[in-house]
């Protein structure tokens, strides 16, 4: 092998990248110093000056709000189910291989399951639940990867359909009914409420956005104008305005059972709001599709619906996916506005905690935890979507045109 | 080479009319008069090559045959079915008419095999296994069955165009339209596509081909149609068209391209 082609050692490469010229070296040193100072200050604050009692005392409130203690087993059960399903999907995606990223993720999960409950000074029984759930996730990941090849192909293909079913089951478990004691929406709060609102809006705004994007490009004038007016109206109004408006008018705009109270009205407003933005992302995907694709499909005899389902959308959504995921992440963060209309979402709960005279002046701790929680949720969403994107784009890995 | 002269063809029993276009007029929405009263009759088993300078309306005319372009007056009857505003009728015509495009227009998100099986399973409601069997045979016929599980983006231009031809054939069409099938190809790939088309013509397929390939027109066409400025200028057998063109516009066109 030509020695010039040999890759330099890691140390040599690092030295070349960071200290290539005197200026590079100066910048590197300055940045390292700044980073070090920042990290030291943060650590110093977190370990000596911060008082984490506010988080320890309110961890349940932050997680689920005023959800009745006696019914919390339902949430643990749901978390267990969700984690098993996540593990199974993960395993089906990766089969038997454990690439380095997966090993890091598994290690982080285990570390979190050990450290977080201990840091919160939870009781031993609750800690055991954390361990069980983390174990369940990794076990499902391992089992699905190990034995997926034994499953009939049809089961693997239909597996994603388990998620909507699980979602409906989850709402049933949280809200009660069918023999379970009902838990009113006013008792939902904290991270639980944030996740319910965000996931409801994400799940529904996606098909609605696709429909709006197709409507905006439809040949039927009424449909086209209607979609355009809707999208432009929603995009022209701030979300907070729409949230207040929705609380007042959604009660009689939507059929009675759909928006019975403030929580569901807010969820619908978030859905309708995000749908307009998703529609624009999807429209960009539709515009990027060469006209010849539709012509080829039509000349093969496919009707309009078949053309859209089998040729247009599979390609357009691939293009629209990154922008759409960005929209989902924004949506998750936008749920903090719910605290302004009086709902006790994560931010609303946090403000309630900070208003408690026992924990005066502990805002920094609460806000930091909030930021980390949101970061974790968004990172999970982004990671999942990147995996999906990677999988969908297999065909273009060596594409030339 | 096929040497079926129109005279010989007429000696045999009269063949069914596949395309009957009468006085077709088309205006684009911007007012451009693309087709100015065009007539053409194509019989079953005939290979008709349409030539002409760019902007002469030849592609537009071809695309009216399967309803990809609307026309404002005149009539087009394909295999006994009149093309009009009836959407179901257009669907019925498209099931019987295959089309090959300049830009291939394969579906990039589907494998080669799925490109072939999509329409027969969806439109004709045939079983996937049965269609796959036929699709693999067709791919073998066009010489790319090893690539059946690749994606279009992994194939060369010539291979993609052969897949596109096989995709149309998988619908078992009675008529094939080719819209400049070799114009987007690198020169060394033109021949492999023309060979497939030649085989198809020999098999008795009715074909209307818009192309600039003189050799193909000379060797394969039963008749050559020259269009200019939205009108049919001359229709003649290839020897006559290339050796003794009648119309001054034909002479001008031939002198420009040779």
């Amino acid at each position: 092998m030509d020695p010039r082609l040999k890759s330099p050692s890691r140390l040599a490469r690092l030295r070349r990248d960071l200290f290539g010229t005197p200026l590079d070296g100066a910048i590197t040193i300055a940045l390292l110093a700044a980073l070090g100072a920042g990290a030291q200050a943060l650590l110093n604050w977190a370990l000596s000056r911060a008082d984490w009692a506010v988080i320890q005392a309110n961890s349940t409130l932050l997680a689920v709000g005023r959800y009745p203690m006696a019914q919390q087993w339902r949430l643990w059960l749901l978390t267990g189910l969700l984690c098993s399903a996540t593990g199974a999907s993960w395993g089906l995606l990766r089969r038997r291989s454990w690439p380095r990223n997966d090993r890091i993720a598994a290690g982080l999960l285990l570390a979190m399951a050990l450290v977080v409950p201990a840091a919160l000074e939870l009781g031993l029984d609750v800690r055991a639940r954390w361990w069980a759930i983390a174990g369940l996730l990794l076990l499902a990941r391992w089992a699905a990867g190990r034995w997926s090849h034994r499953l009939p192909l049809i089961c693997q293909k239909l597996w994603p359909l388990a998620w909507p079913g699980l979602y409906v089951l989850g709402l049933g478990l949280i809200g009660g009914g069918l023999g379970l004691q009902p838990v009113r929406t006013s008792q939902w709060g904290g991270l639980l409420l944030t996740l319910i609102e965000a996931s409801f809006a994400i799940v529904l705004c996606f098909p609605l956005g696709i429909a709006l994007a197709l409507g905006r490009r439809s040949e039927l004038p009424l449909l086209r104008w209607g979609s355009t007016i809707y999208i432009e109206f929603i995009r022209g109004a701030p979300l907070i305005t729409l949230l207040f408006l929705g609380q007042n008018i959604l009660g009689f705009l939507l059929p009675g059972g759909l928006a019975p109270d403030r929580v569901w009205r807010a969820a619908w407003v978030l859905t309708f709001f995000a749908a307009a933005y998703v529609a624009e992302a999807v429209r960009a995907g539709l515009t990027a599709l060469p006209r010849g694709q539709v012509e080829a499909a039509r000349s093969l005899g496919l009707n309009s619906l078949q053309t859209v389902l089998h040729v247009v959308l599979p390609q357009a959504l691939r293009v629209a996916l990154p922008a759409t995921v960005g929209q989902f992440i924004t949506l998750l963060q936008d749920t903090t506005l719910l605290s302004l209309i009086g709902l006790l979402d994560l931010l609303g709960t946090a403000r309630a905690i900070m208003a408690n005279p026992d924990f005066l002046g502990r805002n920094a701790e609460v806000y930091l935890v909030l930021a980390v929680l949101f970061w974790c949720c968004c990172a999970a969403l982004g990671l999942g979507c990147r995996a999906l994107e990677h999988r969908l784009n297999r065909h273009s890995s060596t594409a030339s045109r | 080479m096929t040497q079926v002269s129109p005279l010989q063809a007429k000696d045999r029993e009269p063949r069914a009319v596949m395309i009957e276009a009468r006085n077709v007029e088309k205006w684009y929405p911007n007012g451009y008069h693309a087709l100015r009263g065009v007539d053409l009759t194509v019989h079953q088993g005939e290979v008709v090559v349409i030539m002409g300078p760019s902007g002469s309306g030849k592609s537009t005319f071809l695309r009216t045959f399967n309803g990809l372009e609307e026309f404002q007056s005149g009539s087009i009857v394909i295999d006994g079915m009149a093309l009009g505003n009836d959407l179901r009728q257009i669907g019925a015509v498209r099931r019987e008419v295959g089309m090959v495009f300049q830009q291939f227009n394969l579906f990039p998100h589907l494998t080669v095999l799925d490109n072939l099986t999509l329409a027969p399973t969806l439109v004709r409601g045939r079983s996937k296994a049965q269609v796959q069997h036929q699709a693999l045979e067709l791919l073998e016929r066009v010489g790319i069955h090893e690539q059946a599980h690749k994606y279009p983006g992994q194939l060369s231009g010539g291979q993609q165009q052969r897949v596109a031809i096989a995709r149309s054939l998988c619908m078992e069409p009675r008529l094939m339209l080719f819209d400049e099938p070799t114009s987007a190809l690198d020169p060394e790939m033109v021949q492999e596509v023309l060979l497939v088309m030649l085989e198809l013509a020999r098999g008795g397929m009715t074909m209307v081909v818009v192309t600039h390939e003189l050799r193909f027109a000379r060797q394969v066409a039963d008749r050559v149609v020259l269009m200019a400025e939205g009108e049919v200028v001359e229709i003649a057998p290839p020897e006559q068209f290339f050796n003794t063109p009648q119309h001054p516009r034909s002479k001008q066109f031939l002198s420009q391209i040779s």
Side-chain angles (χ1 to χ4, degrees):
Chain A
M1 197 172 149
D2 189 332
R4 278 170 300 177
L5 289 178
K6 234 174 80 182
S7 57
S9 74
R10 193 172 290 184
L11 196 68
R13 208 167 53 210
L14 210 62
R15 215 170 83 183
R16 191 192 60 202
D17 288 348
L18 295 178
F19 299 96
T21 67
L23 182 63
D24 285 1
I27 292 175
T28 302
I29 289 171
L31 282 178
L32 279 179
L35 272 177
Q40 198 213 354
L42 189 67
L43 267 179
N44 193 18
W45 171 81
L47 294 179
S48 58
R49 292 186 47 212
D51 180 4
W52 296 104
V54 58
I55 304 299
Q56 286 162 353
N58 294 299
S59 63
T60 311
L61 206 58
L62 277 173
V64 298
R66 298 184 193 288
Y67 203 86
M69 263 303 189
Q71 300 297 326
Q72 279 181 11
W73 61 270
R74 282 147 59 169
L75 303 181
W76 284 105
L77 177 64
L78 181 60
T79 315
L81 282 174
L82 284 175
C83 284
S84 312
T86 308
S89 289
W90 186 7
L92 284 178
L93 217 60
R94 291 293 168 88
R95 309 272 156 184
R96 295 176 80 156
S97 66
W98 281 85
R100 197 168 62 139
N101 282 352
D102 286 28
R103 294 200 301 268
I104 293 175
L108 274 176
L109 265 170
L110 280 177
M112 263 174 61
L114 289 175
V115 170
V116 176
L120 291 175
E121 294 179 356
L122 297 170
L124 204 60
D125 54 331
V126 183
R127 279 187 212 189
R129 286 180 211 166
W130 275 75
W131 299 335
I133 282 170
L136 212 54
L137 203 166
L138 292 175
L139 189 71
R141 156 73 176 88
W142 176 77
R146 177 82 177 69
W147 284 299
S148 64
H149 62 281
R150 296 257 186 93
L151 273 175
L153 199 64
I154 188 79
C155 290
Q156 296 184 35
K157 288 221 159 139
L158 290 182
W159 169 249
L161 290 181
W163 282 100
L166 199 57
Y167 190 77
V168 175
L169 178 75
L171 282 184
L173 268 177
I174 295 167
L178 287 179
L180 288 174
Q181 188 191 327
V183 177
R184 281 176 293 113
T185 55
S186 56
Q187 290 171 295
W188 305 358
L191 184 61
L192 174 73
L193 181 65
T194 294
L195 289 182
I196 290 175
E197 296 273 342
S199 61
F200 181 86
I202 285 173
V203 167
L204 285 186
C205 80
F206 192 48
L208 197 59
I210 293 173
L212 280 168
L214 290 172
R216 190 162 185 178
R217 288 169 58 95
S218 161
E219 284 168 12
L220 300 171
L222 217 57
L223 193 58
R224 191 171 61 237
W225 296 335
S227 306
T228 309
I229 290 170
Y230 174 87
I231 291 170
E232 294 307 330
F233 171 74
I234 295 282
R235 297 204 317 153
L239 176 55
I240 187 68
T241 321
L242 293 175
L243 278 170
F244 279 116
L245 186 67
Q247 291 301 326
N248 291 308
I249 64 166
L250 270 189
F252 42 92
L253 269 189
L254 286 173
L258 283 180
D261 53 41
R262 291 193 309 170
V263 166
W264 288 117
R265 281 177 206 169
W268 280 111
V269 171
L270 284 173
T271 306
F272 292 144
F273 179 78
Y277 288 86
V278 169
E280 286 301 278
V282 173
R283 191 163 72 102
L286 292 173
T287 313
L289 192 71
R291 203 174 53 136
Q293 289 290 311
V294 174
E295 290 183 348
R298 299 314 298 272
S299 63
L300 282 167
L302 271 65
N303 62 32
S304 338
L305 186 67
Q306 290 167 333
T307 304
V308 167
L309 285 183
H310 294 275
V311 175
V312 174
L313 280 185
Q315 297 186 59
L317 292 186
R318 263 162 240 223
V319 176
L321 193 63
T324 309
V325 172
Q327 192 50 51
F328 290 167
I329 287 174
T330 311
L331 178 61
L332 183 66
Q333 296 167 352
D334 281 347
T335 56
T336 46
L337 287 175
L338 297 185
S339 64
L340 294 185
I341 58 168
L343 291 181
L344 289 174
D345 75 318
L346 206 42
L347 184 62
T349 311
R351 282 153 49 112
I353 292 169
M354 290 180 287
N356 183 337
D358 291 350
F359 304 112
L360 273 184
R362 290 291 156 218
N363 296 7
E365 289 86 343
V366 176
Y367 281 131
L368 187 68
V369 166
L370 228 58
V372 170
L373 276 177
F374 269 107
W375 182 84
C376 285
C377 294
C378 292
L381 202 57
L383 272 178
C385 290
R386 206 178 312 158
L388 183 68
E389 209 176 316
H390 190 70
R391 199 169 166 75
L392 288 177
N393 283 334
R394 275 175 306 180
H395 72 280
S396 57
S397 53
T398 51
S400 58
R401 58 184 314 133
Chain B
M1 289 296 111
T2 44
Q3 288 298 334
V4 188
S5 79
L7 270 178
Q8 282 171 322
K10 267 177 201 153
D11 290 343
R12 284 192 253 140
E13 59 187 285
R15 290 179 296 180
V17 174
M18 209 58 170
I19 302 177
E20 178 84 70
R22 283 286 156 263
N23 206 17
V24 176
E25 304 243 11
K26 177 181 175 69
W27 285 267
Y28 277 110
N30 61 11
Y32 179 68
H33 199 173
L35 299 175
R36 302 162 184 256
V38 193
D39 294 307
L40 183 69
T41 306
V42 179
H43 291 92
Q44 193 181 349
E46 210 179 3
V47 177
V48 171
V49 166
I50 304 180
M51 307 189 96
S54 67
S56 60
K58 52 191 193 306
S59 279
T60 307
F61 188 40
L62 188 80
R63 287 157 56 89
T64 57
F65 296 161
N66 69 347
L68 284 186
E69 298 280 355
E70 295 177 333
F71 52 94
Q72 276 72 41
S73 76
S75 73
I76 297 178
V77 179
I78 306 286
D79 200 18
M81 296 175 283
L83 273 175
N85 293 324
D86 186 352
L87 285 177
R88 268 170 302 175
Q89 189 78 310
I90 292 182
V93 167
R94 282 173 178 160
R95 284 197 284 277
E96 307 304 327
V97 179
M99 183 151 197
V100 175
F101 299 86
Q102 183 178 355
Q103 298 295 345
F104 327 135
N105 294 347
L106 293 177
F107 305 131
H109 60 298
L110 300 177
T111 62
V112 166
L113 191 59
D114 288 341
N115 262 279
L116 264 69
T117 57
L118 181 72
T121 47
L122 282 179
V123 178
R124 297 223 193 268
R126 294 168 54 193
S127 83
K128 183 136 188 181
Q130 191 199 0
V131 179
Q132 274 184 346
H133 184 72
Q134 183 197 2
L136 287 171
E137 274 178 13
L138 277 169
L139 286 175
E140 185 148 19
R141 229 171 96 190
V142 299
I144 28 182
H145 53 289
E146 303 95 347
Q147 327 273 6
H149 296 285
K150 288 193 180 169
Y151 287 94
Q154 298 167 302
L155 305 184
S156 73
Q159 289 173 325
Q160 290 193 48
Q161 193 60 300
R162 285 185 283 153
V163 172
I165 295 174
R167 178 176 70 175
S168 282
L169 291 178
C170 211
M171 279 294 281
E172 297 172 344
R174 293 169 55 74
L175 165 67
M176 286 283 286
L177 308 175
F178 294 84
D179 188 2
E180 306 205 23
T182 55
S183 300
L185 294 176
D186 292 334
E188 74 271 20
M189 293 171 181
V190 169
Q191 210 52 38
E192 61 188 59
V193 171
L194 290 181
L195 266 175
V196 169
M197 292 169 62
L198 173 67
E199 286 297 322
L200 204 55
R202 278 186 178 157
M205 176 63 77
T206 315
M207 295 164 55
V208 182
V209 184
V210 171
T211 186
H212 297 295
E213 294 293 329
L214 298 183
R215 278 235 330 251
F216 181 81
R218 260 181 210 280
Q219 294 176 346
V220 185
D222 294 310
R223 286 185 297 158
V224 176
V225 176
L226 184 86
M227 288 185 69
E229 280 132 31
E231 291 178 57
V232 169
V233 175
E234 183 165 348
I235 304 182
E239 319 86 87
Q240 186 187 326
F241 177 79
F242 288 111
N243 300 333
T244 54
Q246 303 296 307
H247 198 279
R249 197 73 183 76
S250 306
K251 290 176 191 162
Q252 188 197 345
F253 175 71
L254 286 171
S255 71
Q256 277 167 346
I257 59 174
S258 52

